[in-house]
Amino acid sequence: QVTFGSIFLGNVPVHEEVHLCAGQIHGYKGCIRDFQVNHKELFIIDEALGGRNVENCNVPICDYHPCHNGGTCTSDSENWYCECPKLYTGKLCQFATCDENPCGNGATCFPKSRRDAVCLCPYGRSGILCSDAINITQPSFSGTDVFGYTSFLAYSTIPNITLYYEFRLKFQLANHHSALQDNLIFFTGQKGQGLNGDDFLELGVRNGRVVYSYNLGSGTATIISKPLDQTLNIHVIHLGRNLQKGWLKVDDQKNKTVTSPGRLVGLNVFSQFYLGGYREYTPELLPKGPRFKNGFQGCIFDVQVRTSINQRFKSPGTPEGHPNSGRSVGQCKDSPCNLIKCRNGGKCIESGSTVYCDCVTGWKGAFCTERVSVCEPEHDPPHLCKHGGTCVPLPNGYTCHCPLGTTGTYCEQG
């Protein structure tokens, strides 16, 4: 039972029941997500004057078996999570971990091979081991890297966004075709986990058009722009919403509007404000409908927001303009590959502020300066020792030390 003044949601107090009828009264059993009276949305927990025996709805996400690589899904009345086996991590146990983490400053370590790691740098850091400090004024995002992570910035939750907001921003697409295909610009959601039915606000680029979507709890509203003029170097977006009505203006295109379905008028989002990507970028963690498959590829800058028409525009974050965290975000037009040199035919790969050397066959190490031994798993072709035989390198090749019960050049005979 939850009480709003003289309105009782779910049940009535015991002393009231006596006057209602002589029979037994049973309260409501189930979940109530949104509650509206005379076009005014009441927030079930925040605005309640009192209540009892009220719990959070249980989301049976584990019924959908979201965990990868043998992870075990566990849920309670509020959240769900995956218990990962050794060597795996991530919200869905989708990533392999590093046995020994050489990365500094809180970087994300990812095994490039069984022996070499790549350091995915946090906001404000760059370099092979993320040891170099960088100043970022115009963030550069690199989309989804080859390891499955996106570059992103996370700002504190934008307050007072429930009934009205306006956003202004500029972006510059990376100079390749994939930057136009299916890429997220920003996202904030009710819980930040993208559960179906949650309120959310989302902006991205799909098939060369800007896509703006929001859900107030009773259905998704979407505006799709005309195709972007690819001769423009910088694109300008101005979007907003007042209650159910949203609008979007892109570059010199005409203003487009939409009205969200249903009768709910308030946007209830509590997650951080994510720019360019998402902390654990798996599309199934974003809301259904306008899901974007990848993070943004290019530069996003001059992001400003206001939540009242009488306010000034200001940058997100607390303090203003400062993100809480980020990953693989560089400075626009700067290349971290200018600071390192890969040896022995290795190629420098950059992903925002993250940088590493992709070595040719036969070489390994941070700068491709170490030879791969003929007995190492990375060697091409691999050694031929069978049945648990131990490979021992020789000046010209290798030999196999055979376990008990086997013989032959490669321990292939019993």
Side-chain angles (χ1 to χ4, degrees), residues 117-139:
V118 172
C119 300
L120 309 181
C121 295
Y123 175 73
R125 291 285 173 172
S126 185
I128 290 286
L129 298 179
C130 304
S131 55
D132 303 327
I134 57 171
N135 182 37
I136 298 174
T137 57
Q138 293 188 346

Side-chain angles (χ1 to χ4, degrees), residues 29 50 76 177 200-201 212 226 246 252 267 279 281 293 305 362:
K29 292 183 179 181
D76 55 27
H177 181 67
F200 69 86
L201 167 63
Y212 160 43
K226 292 182 178 179
D252 293 329
L267 177 70
R279 184 179 301 278
Y281 204 92
K293 295 179 181 177
V305 60

Side-chain angles (χ1 to χ4, degrees), residues 23-90:
Q24 186 179 7
I25 293 179
H26 297 281
Y28 175 73
K29 292 183 179 181
C31 297
I32 300 176
R33 182 180 293 273
D34 298 296
F35 182 47
Q36 183 171 313
V37 178
N38 294 335
H39 303 290
K40 174 177 172 52
E41 185 173 358
L42 297 177
F43 302 109
I44 294 176
I45 299 301
D46 294 344
E47 296 188 51
L49 302 179
R52 67 168 184 263
N53 300 329
V54 177
E55 297 178 349
N56 282 309
C57 287
N58 182 31
V59 180
I61 193 71
C62 289
D63 294 348
Y64 300 95
H65 308 291
C67 307
H68 300 183
N69 297 306
T72 302
C73 185
T74 302
S75 63
D76 55 27
S77 59
E78 175 65 17
N79 295 308
W80 62 274
Y81 60 93
C82 295
E83 295 181 23
C84 302
K86 289 183 178 181
L87 302 181
Y88 292 97
T89 187

Side-chain angles (χ1 to χ4, degrees), residues 137-139 141 168-172 233-235 275 298-304 332:
T137 57
Q138 293 188 346
F141 303 88
R168 297 192 306 202
L169 61 90
K170 299 176 183 177
F171 68 86
Q172 186 175 16
N233 186 37
I234 295 176
H235 300 279
L275 187 68
C299 301
I300 305 175
F301 46 94
D302 293 350
V303 180
Q304 295 183 313
C332 195

Side-chain angles (χ1 to χ4, degrees), residues 101-173:
N101 186 353
C103 308
N105 298 298
T108 301
C109 180
F110 195 92
K112 183 173 63 171
S113 68
R114 295 188 186 184
R115 295 183 180 267
D116 285 342
V118 172
C119 300
L120 309 181
C121 295
Y123 175 73
R125 291 285 173 172
S126 185
I128 290 286
L129 298 179
C130 304
S131 55
D132 303 327
I134 57 171
N135 182 37
I136 298 174
T137 57
Q138 293 188 346
S140 172
F141 303 88
S142 54
T144 307
D145 63 26
V146 295
F147 310 111
Y149 287 88
T150 59
S151 54
F152 76 92
L153 291 176
Y155 296 88
S156 55
T157 303
I158 298 174
N160 305 317
I161 202 173
T162 305
L163 301 178
Y164 182 92
Y165 58 75
E166 282 184 74
F167 284 89
R168 297 192 306 202
L169 61 90
K170 299 176 183 177
F171 68 86
Q172 186 175 16
L173 291 167

